Amino acid sequence: MDTIKGITTFGSIILSNLCRYLFLSINILAIDLSYAVESIDNEVNSYINESIAIKGQSIVRSDNNMPTFVGRKICANCHQKQSADWKDSHHDLAMQEANEVTVLGNFHNKKYKYNDITTRFYKKNNKFYVNTEGLDGKLKDYEIKYTFGVAPLQQYLIEFPDGRLQALSIVWDARAEEKGGQRWMHLYPDEKIDHKDPLHWTGVYQNWNVMCSECHSTNVVKNYSQESNTYNTLWSEIDVSCEACHGAGSKHIVWARQDSNEKKRDPGKGLLISLDERKNVTWTINKDTGNARRSIAKKSNVEVEMCARCHSRRSVISENYVHGKPLLDTHIPSVLSQGLYHVDGQILDEVYVYGSFLQSKMHAEGVTCSDCHDPHALKTKTDGEGVCYKCHLASKYTSTDHHRHKVSSTGSNCLECHMPSKTFMVIDERRDHSIRIPRPDLTMKLGVPNACNNCHIDRSAHWASEAIQKWYGAIKEGYQKFAHALYEARQGGEGVDRQLIEILKDRSVPDIVRATAIDELQAYLSPALLDVVRSALQDEDPLVRVEALNILDAVPHQLRLTLAFDLLSDPVRAVRITAARILAPVPEDQLEENQIHVIKKVINEYISSQMLNSDRPENNVNLGLLYTQLGQLDEAERYYRHAIKLQSGYTPAYINLADLYRRQKKDNQIEPILREGIKHASDKAALNHSLGLLYVRQKQLGKSLGYFKRAVELNANNPRFVYVYAVALNSAGKNTEAISLLEGAHARHRNDTDILFSLILFNRDKGNQQDALRYAKIYLELLPHDGKIKSIVRELSRSH
């Protein structure tokens, strides 16, 4: 029975739109600490060793001499300008208690119809309410507890007795009426989301505690109890305040009270993070090139990584975020995965800027977020494209010789051409921060979008490409040079492994692209690639090391041990726990005593990372898989069951629970759990496939064929489903039908060696020697050292 991994990254689940609109383009710069010495009153003293009380309770993280959170009110005593800039920013208004001032929506008995359900918004006793479809599908009244964001739309949070805050999917369009706003709308207007759907507002993917609390409030402690399936989530401040970005401030306050001599002893000023990468930095424009260079080379990514904590598509692996420490100590950002990004790295899904910006030449040249964005007001430092002319010579780039469009037209605007936007949440436009040149030629070749045809929707990409060549000559490749390799990798083209290796080895390529390359190499792993993997495991970039470790899922236990063991002591948590996951299946009788001790220690760290998000079905499946590998099968079953409890339609939980029963020889429990999954789950293809495998084991081949066929009908793009169905057909004596099915699959998945191997054998057995030889030669192009296929080729060549 196939097993399916739980998926912890936001990039690989159906992500809620809950958190998609607040942080449009933000950076935090170091606060100005050159203020005059002034007395700090008793109010400040009271905050030095205390945390902020919320709902009558205090947040206490630890007693290990770490500073505590003091609150914006204290910061503002000395940092009045920064506080004034921050006031009414998107950070300030990230989340607020619902009242007459904060609620923007029309609650004057307004109705909105969606999916045959009429929702009513109204007020009662100066409170805001909604009457809408609840968890059981019935209409019910709910009080609006908090507002969530302000522009371009505002959502509303409803509090449940178990501590959950759920975000309504019917939201208020806060734009002006003349721009189409001042209306209620649904975030999924083209779908029919009902109470059974995982995207329903009562579900886990619209849950504030799970999805958004870390980035929309300050010093959040989730406090989820798996035993009771409840929350007691606390925060220091309801919005994104000073210490969300600068870290807990109590030691900074102590520093500020000292005399000048004492202050000199602490150049860090009592702060956890020194956002000073731009200190004494200037950008000087070269009049010949029209571009600027940084006066001092950037030596760290502290500022960008601090912003990336929230401005990235990522998974959380630790709640103990420490400002200034590597991002991958607490979060694992997604690579440029299929479904998140186009093959050229342009945004496809909502990915929150960081992954895009890392691809840019701006990042490579040392630009940080605060070069363009005011760190407190959160707006760009100059309106519109004016921000570009801080580093690019205006006389050159505003010229029609450069942009070839009418002055002041959309086509003359830097942002529209180099940072095109994509709309999420129906009305929220987000700009692509990979900052690239338009490539309509890649639209023709690879199917990616291009900025030219965003405006010229009535013209073809071929027309746009010819215009560019006419204006500028041969099309320049630009800074992002990896599109063809990623395209071929996902299409199964020839020589893909070589192209991916070239990307991985090229240090001028952005590290996130190199990490993506080794992620894509998983489909092409062979003994010849092991040296490449070994080198990647020692790479300077921790994300590359993480992805190199993930490849080892496909290698034997002893080889895993040889390659991954040293990374259990990696200084970065994400690397350590990935190594632990990879080594968990290695039997103890293959380990030395010291190895057992080290592996167990880091496995505990991995378990802690998953337990942090044990309110998500994905993490419970990850824990179920781990405990299965460790032989603790009762624990594995408990986590699979909890995943189903959290989301009744979560397919991987059913698949892996059924596989667990197979291991335990509890075949009588497999069919009921798979049929329960088919009843509730959205991915019915995988469940039908698993039922087919069950009947094969029960030697009911005829019965299995119907389920295998159904799986392929539901998902013909899954090569595994097609391969297994074809093998079953061949075993049932339907050789011709099996070959035809595999030929179609091979056309779509040219590098799938299971499909190729079956085509070789099935054609050979049918007497189609020429076809068998042709497929064998294709196979050897992919795996030239496969001795078994070489032998078959010799046999077929002799007979042919």
Side-chain angles (χ1 to χ4, degrees):
M1 171 104 42
D2 296 335
T3 59
I4 298 179
K5 293 180 183 179
I7 307 170
T8 57
T9 60
F10 284 2
S12 48
I13 64 170
I14 305 172
L15 181 65
S16 160
N17 282 318
L18 181 61
C19 304
R20 289 185 169 173
Y21 67 92
L22 276 182
F23 305 113
L24 300 179
S25 47
I26 303 169
N27 158 81
I28 303 300
L29 177 62
I31 54 179
D32 181 7
L33 295 177
S34 60
Y35 49 80
V37 176
E38 55 185 279
S39 63
I40 300 180
D41 57 23
N42 291 332
E43 183 183 19
V44 175
N45 290 328
S46 69
Y47 280 85
I48 292 178
N49 294 310
E50 298 177 4
S51 55
I52 305 300
I54 297 296
K55 299 180 182 178
Q57 302 178 63
S58 291
I59 300 177
V60 180
R61 285 186 177 271
S62 65
D63 58 356
N64 61 353
N65 200 34
M66 289 294 288
T68 55
F69 285 73
V70 300
R72 185 188 64 84
K73 187 176 181 181
I74 304 307
C75 302
N77 282 321
C78 297
H79 301 284
Q80 295 176 6
K81 181 184 184 303
Q82 289 82 3
S83 179
D85 289 344
W86 171 88
K87 182 67 175 173
D88 294 330
S89 69
H90 279 197
H91 272 180
D92 178 20
L93 306 178
M95 183 171 167
Q96 304 172 89
E97 293 186 1
N99 57 47
E100 293 285 351
V101 175
T102 62
V103 173
L104 303 180
N106 188 338
F107 279 78
H108 297 295
N109 202 33
K110 289 297 180 180
K111 296 180 180 179
Y112 179 85
K113 190 172 182 179
Y114 172 84
N115 196 22
D116 297 325
I117 298 292
T118 298
T119 295
R120 183 168 65 95
F121 297 89
Y122 65 99
K123 292 170 63 176
K124 184 174 67 176
N125 299 327
N126 294 320
K127 293 185 177 181
F128 297 83
Y129 289 87
V130 60
N131 178 269
T132 194
E133 179 188 44
L135 185 60
D136 58 1
K138 298 178 182 179
L139 291 175
K140 186 177 178 180
D141 293 327
Y142 298 94
E143 181 186 350
I144 302 299
K145 188 74 172 180
Y146 302 101
T147 67
F148 209 57
V150 288
L153 53 86
Q154 185 175 72
Q155 286 186 269
Y156 299 98
L157 301 182
I158 292 168
E159 188 173 43
F160 283 76
D162 59 6
R164 297 170 198 276
L165 290 178
Q166 298 291 139
L168 280 172
S169 297
I170 302 173
V171 303
W172 180 252
D173 183 345
R175 298 175 301 168
E177 189 172 359
E178 59 268 23
K179 293 184 178 181
Q182 300 301 296
R183 60 175 178 132
W184 291 105
M185 67 178 202
H186 201 283
L187 291 176
Y188 306 99
D190 301 323
E191 302 178 54
K192 289 190 174 182
I193 307 295
D194 62 16
H195 67 284
K196 297 178 182 178
D197 195 292
L199 287 180
H200 191 254
W201 75 270
T202 57
V204 65
Y205 298 127
Q206 303 290 354
N207 175 263
W208 170 88
N209 314 71
V210 177
M211 301 297 295
C212 295
S213 60
E214 180 191 18
C215 292
H216 285 235
S217 298
T218 301
N219 188 30
V220 172
V221 180
K222 186 163 59 173
N223 283 336
Y224 172 70
S225 168
Q226 189 176 64
E227 183 177 350
S228 61
N229 195 25
T230 61
Y231 294 89
N232 182 28
T233 303
L234 306 174
W235 59 80
S236 292
E237 293 182 88
I238 195 172
D239 50 18
V240 183
S241 196
C242 312
E243 292 165 293
C245 303
H246 293 285
S250 63
K251 289 189 176 182
H252 176 61
I253 292 173
V254 172
W255 174 88
R257 298 176 66 193
Q258 296 172 338
D259 61 36
S260 58
N261 289 329
E262 288 294 321
K263 285 181 178 180
K264 290 178 182 178
R265 296 182 181 181
D266 180 9
K269 303 175 182 178
L271 293 166
L272 285 171
I273 184 171
S274 295
L275 295 168
D276 57 359
E277 289 169 316
R278 293 183 62 250
K279 185 176 181 180
N280 300 323
V281 169
T282 58
W283 288 89
T284 303
I285 297 178
N286 182 314
K287 292 184 179 180
D288 293 330
T289 66
N291 301 321
R293 292 195 65 83
R294 204 176 195 267
S295 60
I296 304 172
K298 184 165 68 71
K299 297 180 181 179
S300 79
N301 281 317
V302 169
E303 179 188 317
V304 173
E305 288 201 350
M306 186 276 296
C307 298
R309 177 191 178 191
C310 291
H311 293 271
S312 64
R313 194 71 173 260
R314 79 285 186 274
S315 59
V316 183
I317 57 174
S318 174
E319 200 170 41
N320 297 318
Y321 177 77
V322 178
H323 292 74
K325 295 295 184 182
L327 177 65
L328 271 77
D329 257 356
T330 50
H331 301 77
I332 304 180
S334 298
V335 295
L336 310 184
S337 303
Q338 189 171 10
L340 297 184
Y341 298 84
H342 292 284
V343 292
D344 64 342
Q346 290 188 77
I347 57 175
L348 176 58
D349 205 347
E350 176 55 282
V351 288
Y352 308 104
V353 176
Y354 176 69
S356 299
F357 185 58
L358 291 188
Q359 303 171 49
S360 71
K361 190 174 183 180
M362 305 299 104
H363 177 262
E365 293 293 330
V367 173
T368 64
C369 313
S370 59
D371 278 304
C372 301
H373 301 281
D374 184 284
H376 299 102
L378 311 182
K379 300 175 181 178
T380 52
K381 291 185 172 180
T382 307
D383 289 340
E385 64 178 339
V387 71
C388 304
Y389 301 134
K390 289 169 59 65
C391 290
H392 300 283
L393 191 64
S395 60
K396 176 178 180 178
Y397 290 105
T398 58
S399 167
T400 54
D401 289 340
H402 173 68
H403 54 68
R404 304 286 178 158
H405 287 76
K406 184 178 179 180
V407 174
S408 299
S409 68
T410 300
S412 70
N413 189 299
C414 309
L415 302 179
E416 297 300 329
C417 288
H418 301 292
M419 298 181 68
S421 62
K422 184 176 174 66
T423 301
F424 300 96
M425 297 184 80
V426 185
I427 61 172
D428 188 10
E429 290 191 16
R430 303 294 188 86
R431 291 202 178 275
D432 191 318
H433 278 62
S434 56
I435 313 174
R436 61 184 63 233
I437 62 173
R439 294 289 304 276
D441 61 308
L442 292 185
T443 302
M444 294 189 294
K445 297 173 184 176
L446 311 180
V448 298
N450 74 84
C452 304
N453 292 115
N454 285 348
C455 289
H456 299 283
I457 57 176
D458 59 332
R459 310 302 289 264
S460 68
H462 177 73
W463 170 86
S465 181
E466 285 192 332
I468 287 179
Q469 291 186 65
K470 180 180 178 181
W471 291 338
Y472 305 112
I475 292 177
K476 298 178 182 179
E477 188 172 39
Y479 183 69
Q480 296 87 4
K481 304 175 182 179
F482 50 87
H484 287 282
L486 293 189
Y487 177 83
E488 292 297 331
R490 292 166 190 177
Q491 297 297 314
E494 294 182 10
V496 169
D497 54 346
R498 293 190 295 275
Q499 295 180 60
L500 293 174
I501 291 170
E502 286 176 9
I503 290 174
L504 181 61
K505 290 182 176 180
D506 187 349
R507 303 299 305 198
S508 69
V509 172
D511 287 334
I512 194 170
V513 178
R514 297 173 56 247
T516 305
I518 196 160
D519 176 57
E520 295 287 345
L521 274 172
Q522 292 187 51
Y524 304 91
L525 185 62
S526 68
L529 287 178
L530 286 180
D531 284 342
V532 175
V533 175
R534 186 177 287 107
S535 176
L537 289 169
Q538 306 302 319
D539 198 90
E540 292 181 5
D541 186 76
L543 190 57
V544 173
R545 300 200 296 275
V546 167
E547 294 302 334
L549 281 166
N550 284 327
I551 276 191
L552 301 184
D553 268 322
V555 308
H557 290 164
Q558 275 301 314
L559 186 54
R560 293 190 196 191
L561 189 63
T562 300
L563 294 173
F565 183 79
D566 287 346
L567 292 176
L568 291 169
S569 57
D570 195 279
V572 178
R573 179 183 282 108
V575 180
R576 292 196 303 273
I577 65 173
T578 306
R581 182 188 66 77
I582 288 295
L583 295 175
V586 180
E588 287 193 2
D589 60 11
Q590 297 182 23
L591 300 170
E592 298 176 3
E593 187 173 343
N594 71 306
Q595 291 176 324
I596 294 173
H597 173 75
V598 173
I599 291 174
K600 282 184 175 180
K601 179 182 177 181
V602 188
I603 282 176
N604 287 335
E605 193 173 9
Y606 173 76
I607 291 172
S608 295
S609 75
Q610 299 303 306
M611 287 301 297
L612 173 63
N613 296 297
S614 62
D615 47 355
R616 296 174 64 93
E618 304 90 342
N619 296 77
N620 282 273
V621 167
N622 287 340
L623 287 165
L625 287 166
L626 175 71
Y627 283 114
T628 299
Q629 293 167 341
L630 296 176
Q632 300 178 38
L633 304 187
D634 289 343
E635 279 291 280
E637 180 176 3
R638 182 170 73 84
Y639 283 108
Y640 291 143
R641 288 286 183 186
H642 192 68
I644 293 170
K645 181 179 179 180
L646 291 171
Q647 185 185 324
S648 61
Y650 191 63
T651 299
Y654 292 104
I655 298 290
N656 287 296
L657 182 54
D659 191 53
L660 180 68
Y661 290 148
R662 177 188 64 81
R663 291 169 181 262
Q664 296 174 300
K665 302 189 185 302
K666 296 179 180 179
D667 279 14
N668 62 318
Q669 296 188 45
I670 298 177
E671 185 171 356
I673 197 65
L674 291 176
R675 292 199 179 279
E676 180 187 345
I678 289 174
K679 179 180 177 181
H680 294 289
S682 56
D683 187 3
K684 301 182 189 303
L687 293 159
N688 275 278
H689 178 78
S690 295
L691 262 177
L693 293 174
L694 172 64
Y695 291 128
V696 168
R697 290 199 308 275
Q698 294 178 347
K699 299 182 179 179
Q700 300 183 61
L701 181 60
K703 195 172 183 178
S704 74
L705 290 176
Y707 292 98
F708 288 144
K709 181 180 180 181
R710 181 61 177 153
V712 171
E713 288 173 344
L714 289 168
N715 187 357
N717 288 322
N718 187 312
R720 183 69 178 173
F721 294 169
V722 178
Y723 162 72
V724 171
Y725 180 33
V727 171
L729 285 170
N730 189 68
S731 299
K734 301 181 179 183
N735 180 276
T736 301
E737 190 175 342
I739 291 174
S740 177
L741 186 67
L742 289 170
E743 286 174 340
H746 173 63
R748 296 188 298 274
H749 309 283
R750 302 195 65 83
N751 285 352
D752 191 298
T753 53
D754 286 336
I755 290 172
L756 278 169
F757 188 75
S758 297
L759 281 168
I760 296 167
L761 296 187
F762 294 177
N763 276 289
R764 184 192 65 179
D765 295 345
K766 190 176 175 61
N768 299 335
Q769 306 292 81
Q770 187 172 352
D771 287 337
L773 183 60
R774 175 166 56 88
Y775 287 120
K777 289 180 178 179
I778 295 173
Y779 188 106
L780 284 178
E781 288 178 2
L782 297 171
L783 297 176
H785 303 294
D786 192 308
K788 186 174 184 178
I789 299 301
K790 285 183 176 180
S791 177
I792 291 175
V793 167
R794 287 193 294 270
E795 172 195 332
L796 292 170
S797 298
R798 285 195 298 268
S799 62
H800 184 64

